[in-house]
Amino acid sequence: MSEARTSSALWDVFHERTSGLGPLTAVSSPAGELGFEDLWREADRLALLFAGAGIPEGGVAGLALPNSHRFVTAFLALCRMDATVALVSPQYGSGELSAIAAGVGPSSIVTDASLAPAIAAAVPVDRSVSAGDLEVLVCRTAGRPATPAALLKFSSGSTAEPKGIALSSANVLAEVENVIRTLELGHGDRILAGVPLFHSYGFDLGVLPTVAAGTTLVLEDAFVPRRTLAALAGSALTAFLGVPAQYRAFLATRVEPPPDLSRVRWLLSCTAPLAPDVVTDFAGRFRAPVCQHYGSSETGAVTTHVPSEVLRRPGSVGRPMDGVRAIVADLDGREVPPGEEGEVVVESGAVAGGYVLGAPSGRSPFRAGAFWTGDVGWMDEDGFLTVLGRRDALINVGGLKVSPAEVAGTLEQHPAVREAAVVGVPDGRGDELPYAVVALSQPADEAELLAFCRAALAEYKVPRRIEVRDELPRTAAGKVRLTAEDLEG
């Protein structure tokens, strides 16, 4: 395996950049503050514990932890062991975990005691070993990704299993530079992560600036709008990593007088579109622009809005980040003129090497160093991008992507379900909710089917309603076709 692709290269670079920052706070959370000296000392200690627990150097190691300082130290420890670090959502159900185990073959999964039983029920595990206050699940089958990688990210897509995206250390380091240069981050800057660290958004803009640029990662135990507004107004925060639902919650919170958030340099919103009226209402009430941010697990950060331009273009996701080229192209790959719609195509050193799991069928979206996002958009004369939506049928649940085929396939595993179809229904707030229709081969009620889905899927993928019908709606050619208009209400 090329040294340029391995995670030990990340350890070397990050250690050189931030291990000498001493007591400067690396992570601040309700559990207390952890300085950089202690962060690196703890990562060293965990690497020894992980080795003793049976994690082999150079293998694929899953990291399934909620937000805490342990996420950061465990990530660094796995890099020290030159593991391919697989960022696994603690929210995954048995279906996703089983697919990852079968497709990637992790040698181990690092988690905590509360999550270990559910993971062990879905993944073939030999034993569970305590490593300090963490649990190491040693798996029976182990492998390496077909594409050598320092990091694996997982993202739901058009396939019925998670997409596994392979990133080299060069990809990760390019992403680091793109983010810290664009956002001008450095020692003393404080980033409040209102999103999960295992998600590409939280990892790339929260974890990486901490270990590479010496920023302070600020974590909360839960999102409480009034409390978070107070923190943004009074804690000298540089940036907030938020999602549209959180900004809508801020607007719905009665606080008089409204706090002035103008001192926060970056109020970022990602994972789903933020309605223009929310952008303008927020600026009017809190005296601060919300900068829509756009990216993906395959590309890293692509664009971020410019604060001074937000109110002139409230529907835009901004300009390309430093080190990123983003164009809008026609079907032949030619850049279209400003104002004309096409597919968003991204080129950057951060663009991943490819998929190791769940690659979509048909032509690869990775072409000649660029990634065809599947998003339709247009660019204005000044280089500001507006994204209009997806070419495919993915359901956007609060920024998390749900494959209708995956949910339907899960339902069809129930012995009573003959056939299933799933569609996204607008929730009236700019997001969607999954709804399902099933035809049965034997009696079953909605509650039973919903319980079956909850046992196999992450909660956000579980249909909000399941209608039982004699037959599914079909086209004239006999193909199942479900739309929101087909639902009963």
Side-chain angles (χ1 to χ4, degrees), residues 292-369:
Q292 294 204 67
H293 175 81
Y294 170 65
S296 71
S297 298
E298 291 90 344
T299 61
V302 176
T303 65
T304 293
H305 218 319
V306 179
S308 62
E309 297 290 327
V310 165
L311 293 182
R312 292 179 57 197
R313 302 173 172 88
S316 173
V317 294
R319 283 176 169 159
M321 307 277 284
D322 280 12
V324 177
R325 180 172 182 258
I327 65 167
V328 177
D330 62 20
L331 294 177
D332 295 319
R334 295 186 294 262
E335 186 172 4
V336 301
E340 187 173 321
E341 293 179 14
E343 184 167 351
V344 180
V345 181
V346 178
E347 293 182 55
S348 164
V351 170
Y355 295 113
V356 295
L357 177 67
S361 59
R363 188 178 183 187
S364 172
F366 294 98
R367 305 174 202 167

Side-chain angles (χ1 to χ4, degrees), residues 411-412 414 416-421 437-442 449 466-472 474:
L411 278 165
E412 289 172 354
H414 190 284
V417 176
R418 184 176 79 248
E419 201 170 26
V437 173
V438 298
L440 302 180
S441 57
Q442 62 188 57
L449 297 176
I466 300 176
E467 293 180 16
V468 178
R469 299 188 185 178
D470 293 334
E471 296 292 338
L472 299 187
R474 297 180 183 275

Side-chain angles (χ1 to χ4, degrees), residues 198-213:
F198 61 79
H199 190 282
S200 188
Y201 177 32
F203 185 81
D204 292 358
L205 276 73
V207 175
L208 291 182
T210 294
V211 298

Side-chain angles (χ1 to χ4, degrees), residues 191-273:
I191 300 173
L192 174 57
V195 294
L197 300 181
F198 61 79
H199 190 282
S200 188
Y201 177 32
F203 185 81
D204 292 358
L205 276 73
V207 175
L208 291 182
T210 294
V211 298
T215 62
T216 297
L217 179 62
V218 182
L219 303 173
E220 296 180 322
D221 54 1
F223 174 66
V224 180
R226 188 180 300 272
R227 184 179 67 184
T228 302
L229 279 172
L232 290 169
S235 298
L237 289 167
T238 304
F240 173 63
L241 310 183
V243 297
Q246 292 170 324
Y247 290 103
R248 292 194 296 266
F250 289 147
L251 284 173
T253 301
R254 295 180 180 274
V255 182
E256 296 297 341
D260 182 349
L261 305 186
S262 60
R263 287 181 296 177
V264 184
R265 196 159 79 233
W266 296 101
L267 290 163
L268 298 174
S269 179
C270 190
T271 74

Side-chain angles (χ1 to χ4, degrees), residues 123-128 137-141:
V123 175
V125 169
D126 261 339
R127 62 190 184 279
S128 178
L137 302 178
V138 180
C139 303
R140 286 199 293 273
T141 56

Side-chain angles (χ1 to χ4, degrees), residues 10 38 46 82 85 100 103-104 186 191 193 224 271 311 321 324 330 361-362 382 403 451 457 472 483:
L10 299 179
D38 290 333
L46 279 179
D82 204 23
V85 185
I100 290 170
V104 174
I191 300 173
V224 180
T271 74
L311 293 182
M321 307 277 284
V324 177
D330 62 20
S361 59
D382 298 318
S403 163
L457 296 169
L472 299 187
T483 68

Side-chain angles (χ1 to χ4, degrees), residues 76-87:
L76 291 173
L78 292 173
C79 289
R80 184 156 179 71
M81 300 182 71
D82 204 23
T84 293
V85 185
L87 303 180

